């Protein structure tokens, strides 16, 4: 029990050290100019400032803390006379000692023989078989309540073995517990811990606190330390150079016809895959799929702290900052398919004679020897760091763009930087520029060539791309010459450079630098053991991806085939497919499954370099019928005539369209093309470039808008490739639909792997959706058009069913319309389905107009709908009344000001022309809404400066929390504007009243302009 502290006692006692729960360092408060202040700026970089209310009998003060305005009051515990500061946000501070110490003092003051269930015992009951939860000091066994919980059993299990009082109190009242649980479920009160267990618990907590402190230190120090990725890139280059000098390389394996390239033979079952990137994992998946689970003893070794993830979409990490959304696999996949995966493991050496690997644990530095029968190198590449003066591993503010850790370092560093330069204007460089741009940096691209993307484009296309990028306020510097970087006390300060617009060298100030100037193969392992490497790096392989050692293979960016290392992911997947098929052949030979000689497994004949990307929101595509399109620069006018080629050019300076198509002059065969600004027909043109001629088309038909670029999927040959990344053909898609019952794009992805790369082939502009539709129609089937995998009906069909059958609850809709019996664990899937719920909610609301939080409908709503307010990042809520058309009366302004003053809320004019009240706690919301809707409120300050009592007609909710009409914005129209020609305010007000409360799958807003100026 606690009692209020008088104003005098509180003012005398407030100075001193106050402890926050779970934070070891106390906050020291001082008295300064009759205000309470924190000695240090610990709250969002600012001091806490408290202004005591001198006229109150008890001690209270208005507090500004970290940008939030709160009310604080002081109380004294009866048991031990301990002082506590309570805040309106729900936070509590202890005076002079931490919370753990206070708990011990309270226990020592409690009478001997006090009984109860200790938390150490409660924590053990956290499963479906035994689910104990603490609510308001009582322990409840909710095992039998799991199936009946409205939100699903996962909500209860989340709090199993824990104290859920705070979570419960944010939604329910104390007395409501009796309505939910049976008396016999109450097991008693929470009791003290056994004395012997208390010390163990404290030690455990201290250990946890130390770990958290170490993690906080790591995060806060990261922006002031050199980039680990930069160090790794420079070290990788140094190791490769050193290895080249220490061991003489083998003779390169020969290339030739399939018959001249010996088939792969395996000397045993132990397969080691070095490198767990997208290509390494793709090879493991294909190999397991071909030979079967457990047929080979496969071990994947990766040096990163996580399993394979999608590097193609690495930039998307800045949007969600969730590594799991990029993950390509999990531990369960390895367990299910009997494959071993080692992370945080770096291979230091390959012992070719012993057939072993020296593997170093990057966390403990322990080295173990690992035997293998066949080794597959899939180590990828490392970022090339140009030799620029002053650019060293110790330079703070310089990053490479390669993995998630690099991105996390940029995110942290961007908090204190404002200007960023990216070295490199190729594919990776523009990806890095997008990353810097998304971090709010003033971004500059430094390209050494006269135009962007010099490998894929020519002068015209590169110039148009630069113009499109500059429209985003990203500066593009071409013909850049970097003399050195400017460093002060080990920290980047700028770049000494010149460019096409600045011929004289000068220092351009930057505080972040991203190096993205291409990649180099990570071939130091191969060099150190004497394998043959290419002139420009990479492990030289034959047509079966075999190195100069018959037991060592290489795929992906580390492989050098026909003097070429591919820097794209699709060729790596091609190589993985070829090698997996060869291993399958060798495995069945070992098992003696067939007495007959099988046909030769496939050989690798090179990959298509055609690509389609969206760089900084701009479509860019480059395609060719052969590799000569790029290597012989067939698209350049200066070389086209000698090669017997000619080109058509389409340029639209208004839309930023650049379209150059190259043809063979005599036959009009399409040799390739460059597309900037619009690449919608990329797949059609790519397919056409693989044909011998244009068929019935002419070059002019292929102009954008010419009407001849569209290719009928029925005209495609069976072996036409429709997914470049995974080399999936038209026949593969058709067979998946006809033989494997694939009816949706997810089915196609699962069955053929199409769309698992860049994803362009499964968009509406790709071939696969069209193939799926035509093949299903040919089989007499219908394309799946349901609103989600759980409902087979379209929104219109669902609307009619609900209307005709008068379904009024979510449960009725599920029982009647969901795929009952078709989806395993349908109820669990529905609980997390955020696609169909908004649709069903809007249909039920449109048809029956019932209260959305009533039984049968409330599970369709989120937290905001339950509280009639929007939850904010502080855990508090915003209250936004309706102001139709942005119009508000003086009385309503006074009402909102009174409520805001009374409940200490922060106020702001929102972007939708309304006034928002921010910082409301859950327990305040009913009172706040009551005063606003009834239009009655009053407030007075202790000093007498403010004394307001207001009575108005009241204001209704603005639905700023629901999937409904939010607001209708208006200008002042003819009411006041001298240019106005229409009464926009009245029109906007009538529209808002007409459609308010109309629920939809998503929030929506409207606007009314009173004249052509549209201001």
């Amino acid at each position: 029990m606690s009692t209020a502290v008088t104003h005098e006692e509180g003012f005398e006692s407030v100075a001193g050290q106050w402890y926050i729960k779970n934070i070891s360092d106390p906050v020291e408060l001082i008295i300064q100019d009759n205000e309470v202040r924190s000695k240090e700026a610990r709250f969002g970089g600012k001091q806490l400032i408290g202004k005591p209310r001198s006229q109150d009998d008890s001690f209270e003060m208005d507090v500004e803390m970290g940008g939030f305005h709160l009310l604080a009051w002081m109380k004294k515990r009866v048991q031990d006379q301990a002082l506590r500061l309570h805040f309106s946000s729900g936070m509590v501070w202890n005076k002079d000692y931490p919370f753990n110490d206070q708990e011990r003092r309270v226990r020592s003051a409690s009478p001997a023989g006090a009984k109860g269930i200790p938390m150490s015992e409660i924590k053990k009951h956290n499963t479906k078989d035994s689910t104990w939860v603490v609510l308001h000091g009582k322990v409840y066994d909710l095992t039998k309540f799991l199936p009946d919980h409205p939100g699903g059993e996962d909500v209860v299990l989340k709090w199993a073995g824990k104290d859920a009082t705070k979570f419960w109190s944010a939604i329910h009242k104390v007395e409501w517990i009796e309505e939910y649980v049976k008396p016999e479920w109450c097991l008693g009160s929470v009791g003290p811990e056994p004395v012997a267990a208390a010390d163990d618990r404290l030690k455990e907590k201290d250990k946890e606190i130390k770990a958290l402190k170490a993690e906080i230190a790591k995060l806060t120090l990261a922006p002031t330390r050199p980039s680990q990725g930069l160090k790794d890139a420079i070290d990788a280059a140094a190791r490769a150079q050193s290895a080249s000098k220490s061991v003489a390389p083998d003779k390169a394996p020969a290339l030739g016809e399939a018959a001249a390239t010996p088939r792969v033979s395996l000397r045993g079952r132990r397969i080691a895959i070095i490198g767990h990137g997208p290509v390494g994992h793709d090879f493991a998946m294909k190999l397991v799929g071909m030979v079967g689970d457990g047929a080979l003893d496969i071990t994947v070794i990766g040096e990163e702290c996580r399993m394979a993830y999608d590097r193609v979409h690495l930039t998307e990490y800045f949007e969600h900052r969730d590594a799991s959304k990029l993950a390509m696999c999990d531990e369960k996949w390895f367990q299910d398919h009997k494959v071993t995966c080692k992370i945080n493991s770096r291979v230091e050496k390959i012992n070719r004679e012993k057939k072993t690997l020296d593997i170093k644990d990057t966390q403990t530095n322990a080295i173990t020897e690992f035997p293998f029968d066949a080794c597959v190198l899939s180590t990828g590449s490392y970022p090339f760091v140009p030799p620029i003066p002053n650019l060293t591993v110790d330079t703070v503010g310089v990053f490479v763009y390669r993995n998630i850790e690099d991105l996390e370092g940029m995110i942290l560093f961007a908090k204190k930087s404002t200007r960023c330069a990216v070295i490199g204007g190729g594919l990776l460089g523009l990806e890095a520029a997008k990353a810097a741009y998304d971090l709010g940096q003033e971004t500059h691209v430094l390209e050494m060539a006269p135009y962007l993307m010099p490998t894929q484009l020519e002068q015209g296309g590169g110039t148009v791309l630069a113009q499109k990028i500059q429209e985003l306020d990203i500066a593009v510097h071409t013909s850049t010459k970097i003399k050195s970087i400017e460093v002060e006390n080990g920290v980047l300060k700028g770049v000494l450079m010149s460019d096409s617009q600045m011929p004289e060298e000068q220092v351009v100030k930057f505080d972040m630098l991203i190096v993205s100037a291409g990649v180099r193969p990570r071939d130091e392992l191969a060099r150190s053991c004497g394998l043959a490497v290419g002139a420009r790096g990479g492990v030289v392989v034959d047509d079966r991806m075999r190195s100069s050692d018959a037991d060592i293979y290489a795929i992906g960016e580390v492989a050098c085939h026909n003097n070429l290392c591919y820097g794209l992911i699709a060729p790596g997947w091609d190589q993985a497919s070829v090698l997996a098929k060869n291993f399958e052949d060798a495995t069945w030979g070992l098992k003696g499954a067939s007495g007959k000689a099988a046909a030769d497994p496939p050989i690798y004949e090179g990959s298509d370099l055609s690509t389609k990307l969206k760089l900084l929101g701009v479509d860019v595509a480059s395609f060719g019928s052969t590799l000569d399109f790029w290597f012989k620069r067939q698209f350049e006018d200066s070389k086209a005539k000698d090669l017997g080629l000619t080109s058509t050019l389409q340029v639209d300076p208004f839309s930023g369209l650049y379209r150059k198509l190259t043809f063979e002059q005599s036959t009009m065969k399409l040799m390739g093309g460059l597309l900037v600004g619009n690449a919608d027909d990329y797949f059609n043109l790519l397919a056409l470039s693989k044909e011998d001629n244009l068929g019935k088309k002419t070059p002019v038909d292929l102009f954008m808008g010419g009407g001849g670029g569209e290719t009928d999927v029925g005209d495609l040959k069976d072996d036409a490739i429709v997914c470049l990344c995974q080399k999936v053909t038209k026949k593969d898609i058709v067979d998946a639909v006809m033989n494997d019952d694939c009816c949706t794009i997810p089915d196609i992805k699962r069955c053929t792997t199409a769309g698992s790369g860049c994803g362009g082939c499964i968009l509406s502009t790709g071939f696969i959706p069209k193939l799926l539709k035509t093949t299903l129609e040919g089989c007499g089937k219908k394309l799946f058009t349901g609103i989600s995998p759980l409902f087979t009906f379209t929104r219109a069909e669902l609307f009619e069913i609900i209307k005709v059958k008068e379904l009024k609850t979510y449960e009725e809709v599920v029982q009647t319309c969901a795929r009952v019996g078709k989806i395993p664990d349908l109820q669990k899937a529905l609980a997390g389905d955020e696609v169909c719920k908004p649709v069903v909610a809007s249909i039920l609301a449109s048809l029956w107009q019932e209260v959305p939080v009533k039984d049968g409908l409330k599970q369709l709503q989120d937290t905001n709908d339950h509280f009639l307010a929007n939850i904010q990042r502080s855990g508090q809520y915003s209250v936004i009344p309706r102001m139709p058309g942005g119009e508000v009366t003086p009385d309503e302004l006074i009402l909102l000001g009174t409520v805001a003053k009374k409940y200490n809320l922060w106020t702001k004019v929102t972007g939708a022309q309304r006034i928002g009240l921010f910082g409301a706690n859950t327990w305040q919301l009913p009172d706040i809404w009551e005063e606003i809707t009834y239009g009655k409120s009053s407030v007075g300050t202790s000093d007498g400066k403010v004394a307001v009592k207001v009575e108005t007609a009241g204001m209704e909710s603005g639905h700023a929390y629901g999937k409904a009409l939010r607001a209708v914005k208006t200008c002042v129209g003819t009411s006041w504007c001298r240019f106005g020609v229409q009464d926009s305010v009245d029109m906007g007000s009538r529209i808002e009243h007409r459609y308010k409360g109309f629920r939809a799958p998503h929030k929506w807003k409207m606007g009314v302009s009173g004249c052509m100026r549209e201001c």
Side-chain angles (χ1 to χ4, degrees), residues 178-356:
E178 298 176 359
E179 300 179 19
Y180 283 87
V181 303
K182 297 179 180 180
E184 59 267 25
W185 293 352
C186 181
L187 305 178
S189 301
V190 178
E193 294 291 333
V195 177
D199 293 336
D200 294 337
R201 194 185 72 224
L202 288 173
K203 288 178 182 178
E204 185 181 334
K205 292 295 182 184
D206 288 339
K207 187 177 180 181
E208 184 179 336
I209 290 170
K210 286 180 181 178
L212 289 173
K213 281 185 176 180
E215 185 67 21
I216 291 170
K218 177 183 174 183
L219 293 174
T220 53
L221 284 175
T224 63
R225 294 187 293 184
S227 162
Q228 185 61 44
L230 177 68
K231 288 183 178 181
D232 292 342
I234 294 177
D235 289 347
R239 287 197 301 271
Q241 187 175 11
S242 174
S244 297
K245 298 176 181 178
S246 61
V247 181
D250 295 341
K251 183 181 176 181
L255 296 175
E257 299 296 329
T261 307
R263 291 166 72 159
V264 169
S265 67
L266 296 177
R267 303 175 191 274
R269 296 179 57 255
R270 297 172 300 183
I271 311 297
I273 304 172
I274 304 177
H276 195 202
V279 173
H281 184 68
D282 185 67
F283 171 68
M285 289 179 61
K286 289 173 178 174
L287 181 58
V288 170
M290 292 176 186
V291 303
D293 298 344
L296 292 173
D297 182 4
I298 303 170
T299 301
V300 184
I301 306 163
E303 68 176 341
E304 291 194 48
C305 61
R306 53 178 61 85
M307 295 179 180
Y309 56 91
D310 185 0
R311 296 184 193 272
V312 176
H313 298 99
L314 188 61
T315 307
E316 295 176 9
Y317 182 78
F318 289 101
E319 299 173 10
H320 49 70
R321 302 189 183 181
D322 183 357
S324 65
K325 292 186 177 180
L326 295 176
M328 301 179 71
C329 56
D330 55 19
E331 291 183 8
K332 188 176 185 301
W333 184 88
F334 289 93
Q335 293 169 358
D336 292 346
H337 297 284
K338 300 177 182 178
V339 177
T340 303
C341 180
K342 296 176 179 287
I343 60 173
N344 295 310
S345 301
R346 182 168 62 236
V347 177
E348 297 284 309
K349 183 180 179 181
I350 300 176
N351 302 297
R352 290 170 58 182
E353 291 184 2
K354 296 171 59 179
K355 294 289 185 290
T356 61

Side-chain angles (χ1 to χ4, degrees), residues 471-490:
E471 291 174 4
L472 299 173
D473 290 333
I474 294 177
V476 176
H477 304 260
T478 54
S479 300
T480 305
K481 296 179 180 178
I482 299 176
K483 183 72 173 178
S484 67
I485 66 170
E486 298 294 305
V487 179
E488 185 179 308
N489 296 325

Side-chain angles (χ1 to χ4, degrees), residues 686-711:
L686 176 61
L688 197 57
S689 72
K690 305 303 179 184
E691 302 294 333
D692 295 332
N693 54 55
L694 297 181
K696 298 178 182 179
K697 299 182 177 67
T698 63
V700 72
D701 292 330
L702 305 186
F703 272 66
M704 182 65 70
E710 183 71 18
T711 299

